[in-house]
Amino acid sequence: MKKPLPIDFQNELFTEARTVHAFEQHAISDTQIKQLYELFKWAPTAFNAQPGRYVFIRSDQAKERLLPALSPGNVPQVKSASLTVIVAFDTHFYEHLPVLYPAADAKPFFEGKPAVTEVAALRNSSLQGAFLIMAVRSLGWDCGAMSGFDPNKVNAEFFPDGRYKANFLLNIGVADPAGIYPRGPRLAFDDVVQII
């Protein structure tokens, strides 16, 4: 067993980390975005399929393209964030399996099976998105995940060929204290966990 991370690291990633709803203005560079990717790309995915695809929206012009798809209450969050990431998935991720998973021919498990492919892509891109959140926190940024948007509008605007589909949005930046709400309760261990 490896040595546990120091408790302050655990707190930074989990117990003290918060979903942020407003951000201060801070630029995030291309280099910092690449550094972020180099961390979260190691997320586990079935067959190493890596179906996640990411659009890092930084410019005001790009944000204007996203705003019509948002629930009204989420517009200020996106406007204030340094970045908003569309965490999406590739419905044809299996095309990369011969390179990403050379141990076996996994492509036939998915090719021509859209129902199977979409479930796998959604599940695994969600894992990748969770690693993105942890990578953001580990680099000292704050973030807030959002599902309050119309995915059909996002897909039409950013993925018109239909190959990629939006999963969720993630705002990234430096938290404005006004955008940190009181922490909600969590379910107790006995309410959600079984040991059998």
Side-chain angles (χ1 to χ4, degrees):
M1 178 176 168
K2 296 183 177 122
K3 183 178 177 183
L5 290 174
I7 193 69
D8 56 331
F9 291 4
Q10 295 176 37
N11 291 343
E12 188 73 25
L13 294 174
F14 296 99
T15 60
E16 293 176 6
R18 305 298 299 280
T19 295
V20 175
H21 300 277
F23 298 86
E24 298 175 351
Q25 290 301 305
H26 288 271
I28 298 179
S29 69
D30 289 1
T31 299
Q32 289 169 311
I33 294 171
K34 288 174 184 172
Q35 179 186 24
L36 183 59
Y37 178 73
E38 292 301 322
L39 282 178
F40 81 85
K41 73 179 183 182
W42 300 107
T45 56
F47 299 102
N48 195 35
Q50 303 173 46
R53 301 295 182 266
Y54 315 92
V55 178
F56 284 80
I57 298 175
R58 183 171 54 193
S59 70
D60 290 340
Q61 296 85 349
K63 286 185 180 185
E64 287 298 321
R65 293 173 56 198
L66 181 62
L67 296 182
L70 302 178
S71 301
N74 287 336
V75 169
Q77 297 178 50
V78 168
K79 283 188 170 183
S80 69
S82 300
L83 298 169
T84 299
V85 185
I86 303 171
V87 178
F89 57 85
D90 182 356
T91 60
H92 293 201
F93 68 85
Y94 51 81
E95 292 178 358
H96 300 281
L97 287 175
V99 172
L100 296 176
Y101 193 72
D105 184 10
K107 190 175 176 182
F109 298 157
F110 302 101
E111 189 171 28
K113 301 173 184 173
V116 173
T117 299
E118 186 143 338
V119 169
L122 179 64
R123 179 180 297 124
N124 288 283
S125 67
S126 297
L127 284 170
Q128 292 176 280
F131 263 60
L132 169 59
I133 290 169
M134 301 310 283
V136 167
R137 292 173 175 175
S138 77
L139 291 174
W141 301 101
D142 300 298
C143 60
M146 293 191 333
S147 59
F149 68 97
D150 183 334
N152 293 323
K153 288 183 179 178
V154 172
N155 293 338
E157 179 64 30
F158 292 92
F159 312 122
D161 69 0
R163 178 169 173 149
Y164 298 170
K165 293 186 178 181
N167 184 344
F168 69 94
L169 305 178
L170 184 69
N171 293 314
I172 302 173
V174 175
D176 178 340
I180 301 176
Y181 303 159
R183 184 185 287 282
R186 297 299 190 268
L187 293 171
F189 182 90
D190 289 339
D191 293 331
V192 297
V193 177
Q194 297 179 50
I195 301 174
I196 57 175

